Amino acid sequence: MTDLVSLTGIRKNFLGVHALKGVDFNLKAGEVHALVGENGAGKSTLMRVLAGEIAPTSGTITLDGEVTQLSGPRDATSRGISVIHQELALAPDLTVAENIFLGRLPGVVNHAALRKAASAILNRLGFDIDPGAEAGTLTVAHQQVVEIAKALSNNARVIVFDEPTAVLANSDAERLLAIIRELRAAGAGVVYISHRLNEVFDLSDRITIMKDGSHVETVETAATDVDTVIARMVGRQMSALFPPKEGRAPGDVVVDVRNINRGRKVRNVSFTVRAGEVVGLGGLVGSGRTEVARLIFGADRMDSGAIELHGKPLRLSSPRDAVRARIGLVPESRKEQGVILEAPIRVNTTLAKIRSVTRMGFLNVGKERRIANALGADMRLKASSVEAPVSSLSGGNQQKVALAKWFHADCELLILDEPTRGVDVGAKSEIYNLINDLAKAGKAVLVISSEHQELFGICDRILVMAEGAIVGELDEDAFTEHELLTLAMTQSARDRDEASQ
Amino acid sequence: MSNISASAATPSFTPRLVEAVRQYGTLGIFLVLVIVASFWSDAFLTERNLMNVVRQVASGAGIMAVGMLFVVLTRGIDLSVGSIAAVGSVLCAYLVAVQGYSVPVTILLVILAGSACGMVTGFFVAYMRLPSFVISLAMMAIARGISLIISAGRPITMGSPGASLVDFGSGFFLGIPQPAILMLIIFAIGGVVLTYTSFGRLVTAIGSNEEAVRLSGVPVERYVLSVYVISGALAAIAGIVAASRTGIGTPQVGVGAELDVIAAVVIGGASLMGGRGGMFNTLLGALILGIITNIMNLAGVPGYHQNVYLGLIIILAMLIQFVTARSRR
C-alpha cells in the first residue's frame, strides 16, 4: 500500500540555522502517527513544510506516490492536507459557517445554504454548535471543532493536529480524541503532535521522535514505552560552559510564593527562593513559567495567593511595586520588552533606577556615563561605546544590557526568563558567570529556561512545571533530562485533576 | 587598494547620510526656504515682514507645537489643541471683561482650564488605554462646544481691563514681538525638559518601547497623562496669546490649528510612531510652516488654495521621514 504522504530528506535552513537536517517522515491512510520531541526539535517546522507554508531547502514531498511541489497553503489544502494549529486561526467576527467555508466562499453568499452545509458537518462530528454564531464567541474547544469541520469540508485526507489538547479541558480533550479515532477509522491519515505522552500512547499507531532538527527513529507504538521514547528525545550535551557552583551559600528565604493562581495558566504555585540560591523553573514552553514570573513581578494580577519578600507580604499592583521591592525581571522577549533598541546603552542601563542619575529631575549624564562604562566593563560588554544604540549590538550583548539594568538597580530577587535565547555560545558562558556572581553576592535568582542542560549547569534546584502547576522538584543529584522530561510530559495537571476526583 | 576601501566605506556612508538628513534636514529646508524666499520677493526679508511671521507663528502653531511634540513622542496625538486654544481665548476675555478678574489670576485660571481638558484626554489614554486619536477628537468637539457656550458664540472684547494683555500682544521687546519671545522661552524650557530631565528621557523612552519602560518599573501612565496636561496647558496659553493680539476672545480661534501643529512637529522630523523628535527642529518646523504661509500670502495665493499646498507639504515631510526611516534598517 502506498503512503498518503512521504517526506524524504527534508532540509530547511533559516538564515544559516539548520532547522531541519534531512528528515524522513511518512503517513499511511488510516493511521495516527505521533510526532514527539522537545521544543525546537523541528516538529512544527516539518509540518509547515507539509502544509505548504514554507518551502524546504531540499528534499522531496511525495503525495499518493507522486512527487509533488507545494506552491503554498492553498495548494496543500486543495490536495487534501489540513493543519490544525495550536493557535487557532479562525476569523473571530465571521460566523461558524463562514469560517468553515472560508476561502471557498462564492461572491454572493447564500447564508441559509451555507449554514445547512455547516450543520451537516458539525453534526457528523457530534457537536451541537450554532453555525450562525460568531466564531470569536465560542469556547476554545468549540473553535477547535470548527477548525476540524473546516478540514473535513475540504475533504482533507491528511490532518495534522499541532498540540490540540494543550488548551482543552479534560472532557473536551476526550471528545477530540474520539473524533480523531473516527477520522482514522474513516481512512484519513492523522499526524498528532503532542507533549502529552500519555495521550500519544493512548492514541497513536506509530511514533516518530525528533531531536535538534533530525529524525531519531520511527517506532510502532505497541513496541515501545514512555521511558524509551523520553530516552530517545534527550541527550544533547553542552560543553563546559558553566562556572563552578562552589562559593554559593544559600541563606534566608528571600521570596516565598504561596498558592498563587491566575486563570488556567497558573494553578496553586508555591515555592521559595533563598538568598544566594539559583532556582530553575523548568518544563515545556507554555507550561506557565513566564506567567508565574510575571505575577511575581507585578506585571499581571493574580487571582489568589500571596507573595512574601523577606517575610513581609508583598502587594504588587504593577511592575513599579516590584522594582521598589527590589525585584527585577529580564523578560523572555528581549527586543520587545527587555531593552529599548534605538536608545543608547547608557540610557538602557539606568532605566530601572533613573533616580540614581538625577538631581531635582535633572539628568547627570556624566555620572550616567560612568555608571554605564563601569557596568559594561564588569560584564565584558562588547560595544563601540556606551553611546551606541542597543540595536547595534549582538544578541548576547543586548542581553547583557538587559541584565545590566537590574545589576544597577541592585535587585534582591532577579527573575531571568530564557536568559540565553538567541545568544551565541561565548556570550552564553559569560551570562552564566554573571548569574553565578549574583548568587555569590547573596542575591536570589529564579531562572526560566527551555534548555535543560542550562538549568542543570547553573541551578541549585529545579521546579518543574506542567500545565500551570508545579509537578515536581529536582535536586542536584536528580539533574537528568530524563527525570525532568518525565515530570514535564507525564505529570500533567489534568491527570492529577482526575486522580483527585 | 582604493577599490577595497571604497567598497568598505559605502555601507557606513549611507547610514551617516541618512543620519545627517534626519538631524539637519529640517535646518537645511529652513535655510533653503529663507534664501529662496528672499531672492524671490523683496518684501520677504524686511524686518516688518519677518516680525509679522514670528508673531503669527507664536499665536498660531508655535506654542502648541511644544506640547504636541511631547504627546507625539509618547506615540500619541492630540487633536484637541485648537479647540482648547479657543477655550483659552474666550475664557480669558470672559474672566477679564465680564467677571472682572485681574489679568494674572485670569491667566492662571485659563491655564488650569486647559490643563483640565488635557487631563481628561490623558486619563482615558493613559489609564483606560483608549486610542488618543479618538479621545482627543472627542475633546476637540467638547472644548469647541465649551468655548461657544462661554462666549454664546460671539466674540468678547476685553476692553480696558485687559489693556495689559493687549500691550503684551502688540508690544515689542528689543525689537521682537513679545508673543514671539514668549514662544521662544517656552521652546527653550521645553528643550531643556526634553533633553536634560528624567521626564523628557522617560517620555521619549515610552514612545520607543512602552513595554520595556513599564517592565523597568516606571509608572508609564503618569507620564502619558502628563504630556496631555502639558499639551492642554500650552494650548490654553496659545489661546491667551491669540486674544492678546487683538484684544478679543473669540470661539473661532484655532479652527483647524491641530493640522498646523501636527504639521510643524512632523516637518520638524518627529516620528508619529513615537520615540523620536527634537525641540529645536520642531521650532524650525513651525517657522517653516509660517514662512510658507507668508510666501503664499505675499504671492497672493488665495486662502483656499493654501490649504491644498499645506497638505502637500505634509505629505512631502512624511515621505522624507519614511525614506530615511526605511534606509536606516
Side-chain angles (χ1 to χ4, degrees), chain B residues 235-255:
Chain B
I237 291 175
I240 297 172
V241 171
S244 75
R245 260 185 85 194
T246 53
I248 299 167
T250 145
Q252 304 311 319
V253 162
V255 172

Side-chain angles (χ1 to χ4, degrees), chain B residues 287-329:
Chain B
L287 291 174
I288 287 170
L289 218 54
I291 292 170
I292 290 171
T293 311
N294 181 247
I295 293 172
M296 289 197 287
N297 283 336
L298 292 177
V301 176
Y304 298 159
H305 292 60
Q306 290 191 8
N307 282 327
V308 176
Y309 294 121
L310 181 61
L312 291 176
I313 289 159
I314 294 172
I315 293 177
L316 187 69
M318 288 305 294
L319 211 57
I320 292 171
Q321 237 192 46
F322 176 73
V323 171
T324 52
R326 204 169 50 165
S327 52
R328 202 166 66 145
R329 283 165 195 267

Side-chain angles (χ1 to χ4, degrees), chain A residues 294 297 299 319-320 323 329 331 335-340 342 346-347 350-352 354 358 361-363 368 405-406, chain B residues 192-193 195-199 201-202 205-209 211-219 222-223 274-275 328:
Chain A
R294 286 179 60 89
F297 191 62
R320 183 162 184 251
V323 173
L329 169 72
K335 292 181 180 180
E336 288 77 31
Q337 306 183 320
V339 293
I340 302 172
E342 54 260 55
R346 167 173 60 79
V347 168
T350 59
L351 199 55
I354 199 162
T358 58
F362 283 85
L363 293 163
E368 187 174 51
K405 177 164 76 182
W406 298 114
Chain B
V192 168
V193 168
T195 318
Y196 298 107
T197 70
S198 58
F199 178 84
R201 155 80 57 87
L202 291 173
I206 287 167
S208 296
N209 190 341
E211 196 54 22
V213 176
R214 178 174 288 116
L215 291 179
S216 297
V218 174
R222 277 185 223 173
Y223 287 87
R328 202 166 66 145

Side-chain angles (χ1 to χ4, degrees), chain A residues 177-462:
Chain A
L177 298 186
I179 291 174
I180 291 175
R181 290 196 179 93
E182 279 172 31
L183 290 173
R184 168 170 63 186
V190 175
V191 181
Y192 190 76
I193 301 178
S194 179
H195 285 305
R196 290 175 163 173
L197 289 184
N198 302 352
E199 260 169 30
V200 164
F201 273 83
D202 210 21
L203 186 69
S204 68
D205 302 297
R206 288 193 296 161
I207 300 175
T208 288
I209 301 153
M210 289 183 72
K211 184 173 79 185
D212 289 343
S214 300
H215 172 257
V216 176
E217 72 174 345
T218 300
V219 292
E220 299 283 332
T221 307
T224 187
D225 57 39
V226 173
D227 260 9
T228 317
V229 168
I230 289 179
R232 299 285 176 161
M233 285 164 51
V234 304
R236 183 174 16 159
Q237 291 295 329
M238 289 172 89
S239 46
L241 291 172
F242 306 105
K245 293 177 192 169
E246 283 90 49
R248 290 189 202 162
D252 297 338
V253 169
V254 172
V255 69
D256 185 353
V257 176
R258 287 190 201 149
N259 296 318
I260 58 170
N261 282 284
R262 180 177 165 86
R264 299 178 60 83
K265 284 292 199 175
V266 179
R267 311 189 207 191
N268 262 325
V269 168
S270 300
F271 63 90
T272 60
V273 186
R274 292 188 290 168
E277 188 183 35
V278 181
V279 174
L281 212 47
L284 301 161
V285 170
S287 56
R289 301 169 305 174
T290 297
E291 287 77 7
V292 167
R294 286 179 60 89
L295 287 182
I296 301 173
F297 191 62
D300 294 323
R301 298 281 191 106
M302 48 194 176
D303 300 337
S304 63
I307 300 171
E308 283 188 359
L309 195 75
H310 291 302
K312 287 188 200 123
L314 199 58
R315 288 175 53 85
L316 297 171
S317 59
S318 70
R320 183 162 184 251
D321 296 335
V323 173
R324 283 186 154 181
R326 293 167 79 189
I327 298 174
L329 169 72
V330 175
E332 115 191 88
S333 46
R334 176 167 62 238
K335 292 181 180 180
E336 288 77 31
Q337 306 183 320
V339 293
I340 302 172
L341 282 174
E342 54 260 55
I345 295 165
R346 167 173 60 79
V347 168
N348 273 281
T349 48
T350 59
L351 199 55
K353 200 182 177 186
I354 199 162
R355 265 162 214 240
S356 64
V357 291
T358 58
R359 224 172 129 189
M360 316 269 287
F362 283 85
L363 293 163
N364 183 342
V365 173
K367 186 178 177 192
E368 187 174 51
R369 191 172 294 131
R370 282 194 296 280
I371 289 172
N373 274 322
L375 274 169
D378 281 355
M379 306 182 87
R380 292 208 261 158
L381 189 70
K382 287 175 199 73
S384 53
S385 89
V386 293
E387 300 302 323
V390 175
S391 58
S392 69
L393 305 178
S394 68
N397 283 300
Q398 289 183 1
Q399 189 70 335
K400 285 186 195 168
V401 173
L403 272 167
K405 177 164 76 182
W406 298 114
F407 275 58
H408 177 56
D410 192 25
C411 298
E412 290 293 311
L413 169 67
L414 186 58
I415 308 168
L416 304 156
D417 195 350
E418 302 283 3
T420 64
R421 178 181 287 172
V423 166
D424 61 278
V425 178
K428 267 187 186 180
S429 166
E430 285 170 12
I431 287 172
Y432 299 145
N433 274 314
L434 291 169
I435 294 171
N436 197 37
D437 291 346
L438 278 174
K440 280 184 181 168
K443 311 294 182 193
V445 184
L446 184 67
V447 180
I448 296 171
S449 177
S450 297
E451 290 198 38
H452 303 144
Q453 293 296 337
E454 175 170 298
L455 290 178
F456 299 154
I458 57 177
C459 296
D460 297 304
R461 56 195 171 92
I462 297 170

